[in-house]
Amino acid sequence: METSEYDVVVLGAGPVGQVAADRCRAAGLSVAVVERELVGGECSYWGCVPSKAMLRPVLALNDARRVDGARSAVTGRVEAEGVFRRRDKYTTNWDDSGQAAWVGSIGADLVRGQGRLDGPRRVSVETPDDRVVVLTARQAVIMAPGSRAALPDIPGIAEARPWTNRRATDEHMIPGRLVVVGGGPVGVEMATAWQALGSQVTLVSQTSLLPRMEPFAGQMVERGLKEAGTEVRTGVAVTELRRPDPDGPVTVSLEDGVELVADEVLMAIGRVPLTGDLGLQTVGLTPGTWVDVDDTCTVRGVDGDWLYAIGDVNHRALLTHEGKYQSRIVGNVIAARATGTAVDTAAWSPYVASADRHAVPQVIFSDPEAGMAGLTASEAERAGHRVAVVDVDMVKAVGTLLWADDYSGHARMVVDLDSETLLGVTFVGPGVADLLHSATVAIAGQVPIDRLWHAVPVFPTISEVWLRLLEAYRDR
Protein backbone atom coordinates (compact mmCIF):
# COMPACT_ATOMS: atom_id res chain seq x y z
CA MET A 1 0.00 0.00 0.00
CA GLU A 2 1.34 3.39 -1.03
CA THR A 3 0.64 6.55 0.95
CA SER A 4 0.96 10.22 0.02
CA GLU A 5 -0.06 13.47 1.67
CA TYR A 6 -1.43 16.58 -0.04
CA ASP A 7 -3.14 19.76 1.01
CA VAL A 8 -6.17 18.92 -1.14
CA VAL A 9 -7.50 15.71 -2.72
CA VAL A 10 -10.07 16.07 -5.51
CA LEU A 11 -12.32 13.11 -6.34
CA GLY A 12 -13.24 13.52 -10.00
CA ALA A 13 -11.34 15.06 -12.92
CA GLY A 14 -14.24 16.38 -14.94
CA PRO A 15 -14.48 20.12 -15.67
CA VAL A 16 -15.69 20.79 -12.12
CA GLY A 17 -12.87 18.88 -10.45
CA GLN A 18 -10.33 20.41 -12.82
CA VAL A 19 -11.34 23.98 -11.98
CA ALA A 20 -11.26 23.19 -8.26
CA ALA A 21 -7.77 21.73 -8.61
CA ASP A 22 -6.62 24.77 -10.58
CA ARG A 23 -7.96 27.23 -8.00
CA CYS A 24 -6.31 25.34 -5.15
CA ARG A 25 -3.00 25.19 -7.02
CA ALA A 26 -3.25 28.93 -7.71
CA ALA A 27 -3.49 29.41 -3.94
CA GLY A 28 -0.22 27.51 -3.49
CA LEU A 29 -1.77 24.29 -2.19
CA SER A 30 -0.57 20.82 -3.22
CA VAL A 31 -3.26 18.84 -5.03
CA ALA A 32 -3.96 15.24 -6.07
CA VAL A 33 -6.77 14.58 -8.56
CA VAL A 34 -8.36 11.12 -8.65
CA GLU A 35 -10.22 9.90 -11.74
CA ARG A 36 -11.72 6.48 -12.46
CA GLU A 37 -12.64 7.08 -16.13
CA LEU A 38 -11.55 9.74 -18.63
CA VAL A 39 -9.97 12.97 -17.47
CA GLY A 40 -12.48 15.55 -18.63
CA GLY A 41 -15.52 13.68 -17.37
CA GLU A 42 -19.06 13.33 -18.65
CA CYS A 43 -19.26 16.85 -20.08
CA SER A 44 -16.22 16.51 -22.32
CA TYR A 45 -17.00 13.09 -23.75
CA TRP A 46 -20.71 12.24 -23.34
CA GLY A 47 -22.47 15.49 -22.49
CA CYS A 48 -22.12 19.17 -23.27
CA VAL A 49 -19.28 19.02 -25.79
CA PRO A 50 -20.34 16.16 -28.09
CA SER A 51 -24.03 17.07 -27.96
CA LYS A 52 -23.38 20.68 -28.94
CA ALA A 53 -20.92 19.56 -31.62
CA MET A 54 -23.76 17.47 -33.07
CA LEU A 55 -26.37 20.20 -32.75
CA ARG A 56 -24.43 23.12 -34.21
CA PRO A 57 -24.58 21.85 -37.84
CA VAL A 58 -28.31 21.26 -37.42
CA LEU A 59 -29.00 24.76 -36.14
CA ALA A 60 -26.65 26.39 -38.67
CA LEU A 61 -28.46 24.69 -41.54
CA ASN A 62 -31.86 25.65 -40.17
CA ASP A 63 -30.73 29.26 -39.73
CA ALA A 64 -29.60 29.36 -43.36
CA ARG A 65 -33.01 28.11 -44.46
CA ARG A 66 -34.59 31.10 -42.72
CA VAL A 67 -32.75 33.70 -44.80
CA ASP A 68 -33.73 34.56 -48.36
CA GLY A 69 -30.64 34.40 -50.53
CA ALA A 70 -29.11 31.67 -48.41
CA ARG A 71 -32.15 29.41 -48.47
CA SER A 72 -31.67 28.43 -52.11
CA ALA A 73 -28.11 27.29 -51.38
CA VAL A 74 -29.38 24.65 -48.95
CA THR A 75 -29.95 21.64 -51.16
CA GLY A 76 -30.01 18.78 -48.69
CA ARG A 77 -29.94 17.71 -45.07
CA VAL A 78 -27.05 17.60 -42.65
CA GLU A 79 -24.35 15.11 -43.60
CA ALA A 80 -24.29 12.57 -40.79
CA GLU A 81 -20.73 11.46 -41.47
CA GLY A 82 -19.54 15.05 -41.22
CA VAL A 83 -21.49 15.64 -38.02
CA PHE A 84 -20.00 12.54 -36.41
CA ARG A 85 -16.53 13.50 -37.62
CA ARG A 86 -16.92 16.94 -36.07
CA ARG A 87 -18.19 15.48 -32.80
CA ASP A 88 -15.34 12.99 -32.64
CA LYS A 89 -12.86 15.81 -33.22
CA TYR A 90 -14.13 17.78 -30.24
CA THR A 91 -14.13 14.73 -28.00
CA THR A 92 -10.56 14.01 -29.21
CA ASN A 93 -11.88 10.56 -30.14
CA TRP A 94 -12.40 9.87 -26.44
CA ASP A 95 -8.67 10.17 -25.80
CA ASP A 96 -8.00 12.05 -22.56
CA SER A 97 -4.22 12.36 -22.87
CA GLY A 98 -4.43 16.10 -23.53
CA GLN A 99 -6.55 16.79 -20.47
CA ALA A 100 -4.43 14.46 -18.36
CA ALA A 101 -1.37 16.45 -19.41
CA TRP A 102 -3.16 19.65 -18.41
CA VAL A 103 -3.57 18.34 -14.85
CA GLY A 104 0.18 17.90 -14.68
CA SER A 105 0.79 21.30 -16.24
CA ILE A 106 -0.83 23.08 -13.28
CA GLY A 107 1.37 21.16 -10.86
CA ALA A 108 -1.26 18.70 -9.65
CA ASP A 109 -0.77 14.93 -9.49
CA LEU A 110 -3.21 12.67 -11.35
CA VAL A 111 -4.06 9.35 -9.70
CA ARG A 112 -6.11 7.02 -11.89
CA GLY A 113 -8.51 4.61 -10.24
CA GLN A 114 -11.63 4.33 -8.10
CA GLY A 115 -11.28 6.72 -5.20
CA ARG A 116 -13.25 6.27 -1.99
CA LEU A 117 -13.39 8.16 1.26
CA ASP A 118 -11.77 6.11 4.00
CA GLY A 119 -12.52 8.18 7.07
CA PRO A 120 -11.76 11.84 7.81
CA ARG A 121 -9.32 13.49 5.38
CA ARG A 122 -8.37 10.13 3.89
CA VAL A 123 -8.98 8.72 0.39
CA SER A 124 -8.21 5.18 -0.73
CA VAL A 125 -7.67 4.64 -4.46
CA GLU A 126 -7.94 1.24 -6.13
CA THR A 127 -5.80 1.62 -9.26
CA PRO A 128 -6.28 -0.18 -12.60
CA ASP A 129 -3.22 -2.34 -11.86
CA ASP A 130 -4.74 -3.49 -8.53
CA ARG A 131 -2.61 -1.34 -6.26
CA VAL A 132 -4.06 0.58 -3.34
CA VAL A 133 -2.93 4.17 -2.94
CA VAL A 134 -3.90 6.05 0.22
CA LEU A 135 -4.04 9.84 0.02
CA THR A 136 -4.39 12.00 3.09
CA ALA A 137 -5.50 15.63 2.91
CA ARG A 138 -4.12 18.26 5.26
CA GLN A 139 -6.78 20.79 4.32
CA ALA A 140 -9.63 19.39 2.24
CA VAL A 141 -11.19 16.61 0.22
CA ILE A 142 -13.38 17.82 -2.64
CA MET A 143 -15.97 15.43 -4.05
CA ALA A 144 -16.75 16.07 -7.72
CA PRO A 145 -17.79 12.63 -9.01
CA GLY A 146 -20.68 13.86 -11.15
CA SER A 147 -23.82 11.91 -11.97
CA ARG A 148 -25.12 9.28 -14.38
CA ALA A 149 -28.32 8.83 -16.33
CA ALA A 150 -31.29 7.56 -14.35
CA LEU A 151 -33.15 4.50 -15.62
CA PRO A 152 -36.79 3.79 -14.75
CA ASP A 153 -37.72 0.69 -12.78
CA ILE A 154 -40.05 -0.80 -15.38
CA PRO A 155 -40.42 -4.30 -16.83
CA GLY A 156 -38.02 -5.12 -19.65
CA ILE A 157 -35.52 -2.35 -18.99
CA ALA A 158 -32.51 -4.68 -18.77
CA GLU A 159 -33.36 -6.71 -21.88
CA ALA A 160 -34.11 -3.58 -23.92
CA ARG A 161 -30.61 -2.15 -23.28
CA PRO A 162 -31.75 1.46 -23.74
CA TRP A 163 -29.45 4.24 -24.78
CA THR A 164 -28.53 6.92 -22.29
CA ASN A 165 -26.83 10.23 -23.02
CA ARG A 166 -23.57 8.30 -23.48
CA ARG A 167 -24.74 6.18 -26.40
CA ALA A 168 -26.67 9.12 -27.83
CA THR A 169 -23.47 11.16 -28.04
CA ASP A 170 -20.96 8.55 -29.19
CA GLU A 171 -23.00 6.42 -31.61
CA HIS A 172 -22.01 6.31 -35.31
CA MET A 173 -25.00 4.37 -36.68
CA ILE A 174 -28.33 6.10 -37.27
CA PRO A 175 -31.36 4.13 -36.02
CA GLY A 176 -34.26 4.27 -38.43
CA ARG A 177 -36.71 4.75 -35.55
CA LEU A 178 -35.75 6.25 -32.20
CA VAL A 179 -38.00 6.74 -29.18
CA VAL A 180 -36.69 9.38 -26.77
CA VAL A 181 -38.16 9.17 -23.26
CA GLY A 182 -37.97 12.41 -21.29
CA GLY A 183 -38.88 16.00 -22.10
CA GLY A 184 -36.02 17.76 -20.33
CA PRO A 185 -32.89 19.27 -21.88
CA VAL A 186 -31.24 15.97 -22.87
CA GLY A 187 -34.40 14.55 -24.39
CA VAL A 188 -35.23 17.70 -26.33
CA GLU A 189 -31.69 18.24 -27.63
CA MET A 190 -31.13 14.63 -28.65
CA ALA A 191 -34.53 14.49 -30.35
CA THR A 192 -33.49 17.60 -32.31
CA ALA A 193 -30.14 16.11 -33.30
CA TRP A 194 -31.20 12.59 -34.25
CA GLN A 195 -34.27 13.70 -36.19
CA ALA A 196 -32.01 15.92 -38.28
CA LEU A 197 -29.48 13.09 -38.72
CA GLY A 198 -32.14 10.88 -40.28
CA SER A 199 -33.93 9.00 -37.51
CA GLN A 200 -37.69 9.12 -37.23
CA VAL A 201 -37.91 10.31 -33.63
CA THR A 202 -40.82 10.00 -31.24
CA LEU A 203 -40.39 12.02 -28.04
CA VAL A 204 -42.38 10.77 -25.05
CA SER A 205 -42.65 12.81 -21.87
CA GLN A 206 -44.66 12.31 -18.72
CA THR A 207 -44.76 16.10 -18.33
CA SER A 208 -44.86 19.01 -20.72
CA LEU A 209 -41.54 19.72 -22.41
CA LEU A 210 -38.92 21.67 -20.44
CA PRO A 211 -41.10 21.77 -17.30
CA ARG A 212 -38.57 23.78 -15.28
CA MET A 213 -38.76 26.71 -17.69
CA GLU A 214 -41.59 29.11 -18.43
CA PRO A 215 -44.52 27.21 -20.01
CA PHE A 216 -44.22 29.04 -23.32
CA ALA A 217 -40.66 27.74 -23.74
CA GLY A 218 -41.74 24.11 -23.83
CA GLN A 219 -44.69 24.94 -26.06
CA MET A 220 -42.54 26.72 -28.64
CA VAL A 221 -39.88 24.02 -28.60
CA GLU A 222 -42.56 21.35 -29.01
CA ARG A 223 -43.89 23.19 -32.05
CA GLY A 224 -40.38 23.35 -33.51
CA LEU A 225 -39.83 19.63 -33.00
CA LYS A 226 -43.10 18.80 -34.71
CA GLU A 227 -42.28 21.07 -37.65
CA ALA A 228 -39.01 19.16 -38.03
CA GLY A 229 -40.94 15.88 -38.27
CA THR A 230 -40.64 14.61 -34.69
CA GLU A 231 -43.70 13.01 -33.15
CA VAL A 232 -44.24 14.40 -29.64
CA ARG A 233 -46.36 12.68 -26.99
CA THR A 234 -46.65 14.52 -23.67
CA GLY A 235 -48.54 13.68 -20.49
CA VAL A 236 -47.95 9.95 -20.81
CA ALA A 237 -45.56 7.54 -19.08
CA VAL A 238 -43.69 4.50 -20.38
CA THR A 239 -44.81 1.35 -18.57
CA GLU A 240 -42.82 -1.44 -20.23
CA LEU A 241 -40.10 -2.20 -22.77
CA ARG A 242 -39.90 -5.42 -24.78
CA ARG A 243 -37.00 -6.58 -26.96
CA PRO A 244 -37.36 -10.37 -27.32
CA ASP A 245 -34.63 -10.52 -29.98
CA PRO A 246 -31.41 -8.84 -28.75
CA ASP A 247 -30.74 -7.68 -32.31
CA GLY A 248 -34.34 -6.77 -33.07
CA PRO A 249 -36.62 -3.80 -32.49
CA VAL A 250 -37.87 -2.66 -29.09
CA THR A 251 -41.53 -2.14 -28.24
CA VAL A 252 -42.29 0.78 -25.95
CA SER A 253 -45.60 0.46 -24.10
CA LEU A 254 -47.28 3.66 -22.90
CA GLU A 255 -49.78 3.99 -20.08
CA ASP A 256 -52.51 5.09 -22.50
CA GLY A 257 -52.32 1.73 -24.29
CA VAL A 258 -50.28 2.91 -27.26
CA GLU A 259 -47.32 0.77 -28.30
CA LEU A 260 -44.40 2.28 -30.20
CA VAL A 261 -41.94 0.13 -32.13
CA ALA A 262 -38.42 1.47 -32.55
CA ASP A 263 -34.92 0.36 -33.38
CA GLU A 264 -33.56 2.06 -30.26
CA VAL A 265 -34.91 3.83 -27.20
CA LEU A 266 -33.10 6.64 -25.40
CA MET A 267 -33.80 7.19 -21.70
CA ALA A 268 -33.40 10.85 -20.73
CA ILE A 269 -35.48 11.06 -17.57
CA GLY A 270 -32.95 12.61 -15.20
CA ARG A 271 -29.74 11.95 -13.29
CA VAL A 272 -28.61 10.08 -10.18
CA PRO A 273 -25.48 10.89 -8.14
CA LEU A 274 -22.33 8.82 -8.48
CA THR A 275 -22.02 8.34 -4.73
CA GLY A 276 -22.82 4.66 -4.39
CA ASP A 277 -19.16 3.63 -4.32
CA LEU A 278 -17.55 6.75 -2.88
CA GLY A 279 -17.11 5.62 0.73
CA LEU A 280 -19.65 8.07 2.14
CA GLN A 281 -20.50 5.66 4.94
CA THR A 282 -16.98 6.07 6.37
CA VAL A 283 -17.76 9.70 7.26
CA GLY A 284 -21.35 9.18 8.41
CA LEU A 285 -23.15 9.89 5.12
CA THR A 286 -25.49 7.66 3.11
CA PRO A 287 -24.11 6.07 -0.07
CA GLY A 288 -26.05 6.58 -3.28
CA THR A 289 -27.60 9.89 -2.22
CA TRP A 290 -27.15 13.52 -3.20
CA VAL A 291 -24.74 15.27 -0.85
CA ASP A 292 -26.17 18.13 1.21
CA VAL A 293 -23.96 21.23 1.35
CA ASP A 294 -24.18 24.77 2.66
CA ASP A 295 -23.67 27.82 0.46
CA THR A 296 -19.88 27.48 0.69
CA CYS A 297 -20.31 23.92 -0.66
CA THR A 298 -19.04 22.52 2.64
CA VAL A 299 -20.73 19.18 3.33
CA ARG A 300 -23.28 19.28 6.12
CA GLY A 301 -23.18 16.59 8.80
CA VAL A 302 -19.39 16.14 8.73
CA ASP A 303 -17.37 17.90 11.43
CA GLY A 304 -14.24 19.91 10.77
CA ASP A 305 -15.01 21.85 7.56
CA TRP A 306 -12.72 19.61 5.49
CA LEU A 307 -15.18 17.90 3.12
CA TYR A 308 -16.70 19.68 0.12
CA ALA A 309 -19.07 18.58 -2.66
CA ILE A 310 -19.35 20.43 -5.96
CA GLY A 311 -21.10 19.95 -9.27
CA ASP A 312 -23.98 17.57 -9.91
CA VAL A 313 -23.37 15.62 -6.71
CA ASN A 314 -24.72 18.40 -4.47
CA HIS A 315 -27.90 18.72 -6.56
CA ARG A 316 -27.92 22.53 -6.44
CA ALA A 317 -27.80 23.06 -10.20
CA LEU A 318 -26.94 20.17 -12.52
CA LEU A 319 -25.09 22.25 -15.08
CA THR A 320 -21.39 22.18 -15.91
CA HIS A 321 -21.00 25.95 -15.73
CA GLU A 322 -22.63 26.07 -12.30
CA GLY A 323 -20.36 23.30 -11.08
CA LYS A 324 -17.32 25.23 -12.31
CA TYR A 325 -18.65 28.31 -10.53
CA GLN A 326 -18.89 26.29 -7.32
CA SER A 327 -15.30 25.14 -7.92
CA ARG A 328 -14.10 28.73 -7.92
CA ILE A 329 -16.03 29.42 -4.71
CA VAL A 330 -14.63 26.31 -3.01
CA GLY A 331 -11.11 27.22 -4.08
CA ASN A 332 -11.55 30.57 -2.33
CA VAL A 333 -12.98 28.92 0.79
CA ILE A 334 -10.24 26.31 1.11
CA ALA A 335 -7.48 28.86 0.52
CA ALA A 336 -8.97 31.14 3.18
CA ARG A 337 -9.37 28.40 5.76
CA ALA A 338 -5.85 27.12 5.07
CA THR A 339 -4.42 30.53 6.01
CA GLY A 340 -6.80 31.28 8.88
CA THR A 341 -8.64 33.98 6.93
CA ALA A 342 -12.24 34.54 7.97
CA VAL A 343 -14.81 33.18 5.51
CA ASP A 344 -17.56 35.74 4.94
CA THR A 345 -20.80 33.82 4.44
CA ALA A 346 -22.91 36.81 3.43
CA ALA A 347 -24.68 36.50 0.08
CA TRP A 348 -22.54 37.29 -2.96
CA SER A 349 -19.26 37.18 -1.02
CA PRO A 350 -16.30 35.43 -2.71
CA TYR A 351 -16.96 32.41 -0.49
CA VAL A 352 -20.67 31.84 -1.17
CA ALA A 353 -22.29 30.28 -4.25
CA SER A 354 -25.18 32.75 -4.26
CA ALA A 355 -25.78 32.44 -8.00
CA ASP A 356 -26.99 28.86 -7.46
CA ARG A 357 -30.05 30.29 -5.75
CA HIS A 358 -30.67 33.48 -7.70
CA ALA A 359 -29.02 33.62 -11.11
CA VAL A 360 -28.60 30.19 -12.72
CA PRO A 361 -28.42 30.44 -16.53
CA GLN A 362 -29.32 27.61 -18.89
CA VAL A 363 -29.64 27.25 -22.65
CA ILE A 364 -31.42 24.45 -24.48
CA PHE A 365 -29.90 24.07 -27.96
CA SER A 366 -33.11 23.05 -29.64
CA ASP A 367 -34.73 24.78 -32.60
CA PRO A 368 -35.83 27.31 -31.49
CA GLU A 369 -33.25 27.79 -28.77
CA ALA A 370 -34.57 28.36 -25.25
CA GLY A 371 -32.58 30.21 -22.62
CA MET A 372 -33.38 31.38 -19.14
CA ALA A 373 -31.58 32.96 -16.20
CA GLY A 374 -32.84 33.32 -12.65
CA LEU A 375 -36.40 32.47 -11.63
CA THR A 376 -39.55 31.77 -13.59
CA ALA A 377 -42.61 33.84 -12.74
CA SER A 378 -44.14 31.01 -10.70
CA GLU A 379 -40.87 30.38 -8.83
CA ALA A 380 -40.59 34.06 -7.96
CA GLU A 381 -44.15 34.16 -6.65
CA ARG A 382 -43.65 31.00 -4.59
CA ALA A 383 -40.54 32.59 -3.09
CA GLY A 384 -42.71 35.44 -1.81
CA HIS A 385 -41.69 38.17 -4.25
CA ARG A 386 -44.16 40.79 -5.42
CA VAL A 387 -43.60 40.63 -9.16
CA ALA A 388 -44.48 42.12 -12.50
CA VAL A 389 -44.31 39.80 -15.50
CA VAL A 390 -43.56 41.40 -18.86
CA ASP A 391 -43.89 39.52 -22.16
CA VAL A 392 -42.69 40.68 -25.57
CA ASP A 393 -42.93 39.23 -29.06
CA MET A 394 -39.31 39.29 -30.17
CA VAL A 395 -40.17 40.34 -33.72
CA LYS A 396 -40.67 43.83 -32.25
CA ALA A 397 -36.87 44.08 -32.27
CA VAL A 398 -35.75 44.85 -35.83
CA GLY A 399 -32.61 42.78 -35.38
CA THR A 400 -34.63 39.57 -35.16
CA LEU A 401 -36.08 40.10 -38.64
CA LEU A 402 -32.62 40.71 -40.04
CA TRP A 403 -31.46 37.51 -38.34
CA ALA A 404 -34.22 35.44 -39.95
CA ASP A 405 -37.11 36.09 -42.31
CA ASP A 406 -40.38 35.27 -40.53
CA TYR A 407 -38.56 35.20 -37.18
CA SER A 408 -40.57 33.73 -34.32
CA GLY A 409 -39.54 34.30 -30.71
CA HIS A 410 -40.75 35.33 -27.30
CA ALA A 411 -39.16 37.04 -24.29
CA ARG A 412 -40.27 37.34 -20.67
CA MET A 413 -38.89 39.46 -17.86
CA VAL A 414 -39.81 38.92 -14.19
CA VAL A 415 -39.30 42.04 -12.08
CA ASP A 416 -39.27 42.41 -8.30
CA LEU A 417 -41.61 45.35 -7.72
CA ASP A 418 -40.11 46.25 -4.35
CA SER A 419 -36.50 46.57 -5.53
CA GLU A 420 -37.24 47.10 -9.24
CA THR A 421 -34.54 44.59 -10.16
CA LEU A 422 -34.76 41.51 -12.34
CA LEU A 423 -35.53 38.11 -10.87
CA GLY A 424 -35.67 36.16 -14.10
CA VAL A 425 -35.50 36.42 -17.88
CA THR A 426 -36.45 33.86 -20.54
CA PHE A 427 -35.79 34.04 -24.28
CA VAL A 428 -37.04 31.57 -26.89
CA GLY A 429 -36.11 31.92 -30.54
CA PRO A 430 -33.32 31.37 -33.05
CA GLY A 431 -29.98 32.79 -31.94
CA VAL A 432 -30.92 33.63 -28.35
CA ALA A 433 -28.20 31.55 -26.66
CA ASP A 434 -25.60 34.30 -26.70
CA LEU A 435 -28.18 36.86 -25.58
CA LEU A 436 -28.57 35.17 -22.22
CA HIS A 437 -25.42 36.37 -20.46
CA SER A 438 -26.71 39.94 -20.46
CA ALA A 439 -29.67 38.70 -18.42
CA THR A 440 -27.40 36.78 -16.07
CA VAL A 441 -25.29 39.88 -15.43
CA ALA A 442 -28.38 42.01 -14.78
CA ILE A 443 -29.79 39.48 -12.29
CA ALA A 444 -26.55 38.65 -10.48
CA GLY A 445 -25.60 42.33 -10.37
CA GLN A 446 -29.07 43.30 -9.13
CA VAL A 447 -29.05 46.11 -11.68
CA PRO A 448 -32.04 48.46 -11.15
CA ILE A 449 -34.47 48.89 -14.02
CA ASP A 450 -33.62 52.60 -14.19
CA ARG A 451 -29.96 51.75 -14.79
CA LEU A 452 -30.77 49.15 -17.45
CA TRP A 453 -32.10 51.96 -19.63
CA HIS A 454 -28.49 53.15 -19.83
CA ALA A 455 -27.28 49.78 -21.16
CA VAL A 456 -27.70 50.59 -24.85
CA PRO A 457 -28.16 47.59 -27.17
CA VAL A 458 -26.50 47.71 -30.57
CA PHE A 459 -28.76 48.42 -33.54
CA PRO A 460 -29.81 46.33 -35.42
CA THR A 461 -29.25 43.23 -33.28
CA ILE A 462 -31.48 40.78 -31.45
CA SER A 463 -30.32 42.42 -28.21
CA GLU A 464 -32.72 45.31 -28.90
CA VAL A 465 -35.35 43.05 -27.37
CA TRP A 466 -34.10 44.51 -24.07
CA LEU A 467 -35.54 47.90 -25.08
CA ARG A 468 -38.87 46.31 -25.93
CA LEU A 469 -38.94 44.59 -22.51
CA LEU A 470 -38.12 47.82 -20.67
CA GLU A 471 -40.76 49.70 -22.66
CA ALA A 472 -43.35 47.05 -21.87
CA TYR A 473 -42.50 47.28 -18.17
CA ARG A 474 -42.76 51.08 -18.27
CA ASP A 475 -46.09 51.00 -20.11
CA ARG A 476 -47.71 48.12 -18.21
Side-chain angles (χ1 to χ4, degrees), residues 163-252:
W163 286 11
T164 66
N165 63 290
R166 290 201 166 197
R167 186 75 179 273
T169 53
D170 70 10
E171 179 59 59
H172 287 80
M173 299 296 292
I174 300 172
R177 301 161 297 178
L178 175 66
V179 171
V180 178
V181 181
V186 174
V188 164
E189 289 187 348
M190 289 297 92
T192 300
W194 284 99
Q195 180 71 36
L197 286 166
S199 292
Q200 177 53 58
V201 175
T202 301
L203 177 59
V204 178
S205 178
Q206 197 166 357
T207 66
S208 59
L209 300 190
L210 305 178
R212 295 186 178 181
M213 301 184 83
E214 297 284 9
F216 69 82
Q219 293 162 7
M220 294 179 71
V221 168
E222 180 176 345
R223 184 165 65 245
L225 285 166
K226 289 178 176 177
E227 289 173 354
T230 300
E231 181 182 356
V232 180
R233 294 175 173 268
T234 58
V236 63
V238 174
T239 57
E240 183 182 10
L241 301 178
R242 298 194 305 278
R243 196 196 294 258
D245 179 351
D247 298 319
V250 57
T251 299
V252 182

Side-chain angles (χ1 to χ4, degrees), residues 3-335:
T3 61
S4 297
E5 188 176 44
Y6 294 86
D7 292 318
V8 179
V9 177
V10 182
L11 285 167
V16 176
Q18 288 180 8
V19 173
D22 185 52
R23 297 309 303 159
C24 290
R25 285 295 301 132
L29 301 173
S30 60
V31 177
V33 181
V34 181
E35 177 54 53
R36 66 184 182 88
E37 288 192 305
L38 296 180
V39 177
E42 193 86 352
C43 176
S44 297
Y45 302 105
W46 301 286
C48 322
V49 172
S51 64
K52 304 317 174 280
M54 293 169 67
L55 284 159
R56 180 60 195 143
V58 176
L59 300 183
L61 193 65
N62 290 351
D63 284 342
R65 289 192 176 110
R66 294 187 177 101
V67 180
D68 195 14
R71 186 180 302 116
S72 59
V74 180
T75 57
R77 63 189 311 151
V78 293
E79 180 206 356
E81 183 179 345
V83 172
F84 294 148
R85 186 169 58 247
R86 183 175 195 267
R87 175 201 62 191
D88 296 354
K89 171 186 174 182
Y90 288 107
T91 59
T92 59
N93 288 294
W94 292 271
D95 176 359
D96 71 349
S97 56
Q99 296 205 51
W102 177 87
V103 173
S105 76
I106 66 169
D109 290 340
L110 175 63
V111 182
R112 291 188 182 270
Q114 175 64 57
R116 301 176 182 90
L117 292 169
D118 189 23
R121 303 176 189 269
R122 179 181 166 103
V123 171
S124 177
V125 184
E126 184 179 338
T127 69
D129 57 359
D130 296 324
R131 292 180 297 117
V132 175
V133 177
V134 175
L135 309 173
T136 56
R138 287 183 288 265
Q139 301 296 336
V141 175
I142 304 172
M143 296 187 293
S147 63
R148 63 169 176 81
L151 293 176
D153 184 15
I154 58 174
I157 188 77
E159 294 77 13
R161 305 185 316 280
W163 286 11
T164 66
N165 63 290
R166 290 201 166 197
R167 186 75 179 273
T169 53
D170 70 10
E171 179 59 59
H172 287 80
M173 299 296 292
I174 300 172
R177 301 161 297 178
L178 175 66
V179 171
V180 178
V181 181
V186 174
V188 164
E189 289 187 348
M190 289 297 92
T192 300
W194 284 99
Q195 180 71 36
L197 286 166
S199 292
Q200 177 53 58
V201 175
T202 301
L203 177 59
V204 178
S205 178
Q206 197 166 357
T207 66
S208 59
L209 300 190
L210 305 178
R212 295 186 178 181
M213 301 184 83
E214 297 284 9
F216 69 82
Q219 293 162 7
M220 294 179 71
V221 168
E222 180 176 345
R223 184 165 65 245
L225 285 166
K226 289 178 176 177
E227 289 173 354
T230 300
E231 181 182 356
V232 180
R233 294 175 173 268
T234 58
V236 63
V238 174
T239 57
E240 183 182 10
L241 301 178
R242 298 194 305 278
R243 196 196 294 258
D245 179 351
D247 298 319
V250 57
T251 299
V252 182
S253 299
L254 307 183
E255 64 181 351
D256 60 4
V258 171
E259 291 196 336
L260 307 172
V261 179
D263 299 290
E264 299 293 349
V265 58
L266 164 61
M267 286 293 172
I269 61 170
R271 309 289 294 179
V272 294
L274 284 170
T275 57
D277 192 22
L278 207 61
L280 294 187
Q281 70 279 5
T282 69
V283 294
L285 302 176
T286 304
T289 60
W290 303 104
V291 179
D292 187 28
V293 299
D294 64 19
D295 284 347
T296 68
C297 293
T298 304
V299 175
R300 289 191 171 106
V302 176
D303 294 335
D305 291 342
W306 61 272
L307 185 60
Y308 301 82
I310 53 178
D312 285 9
V313 72
N314 65 30
H315 209 233
R316 288 168 68 95
L318 276 67
L319 298 160
T320 297
H321 46 273
E322 285 298 306
K324 291 164 73 173
Y325 162 68
Q326 293 167 13
S327 300
R328 296 189 289 271
I329 296 296
V330 161
N332 294 340
V333 172
I334 293 171

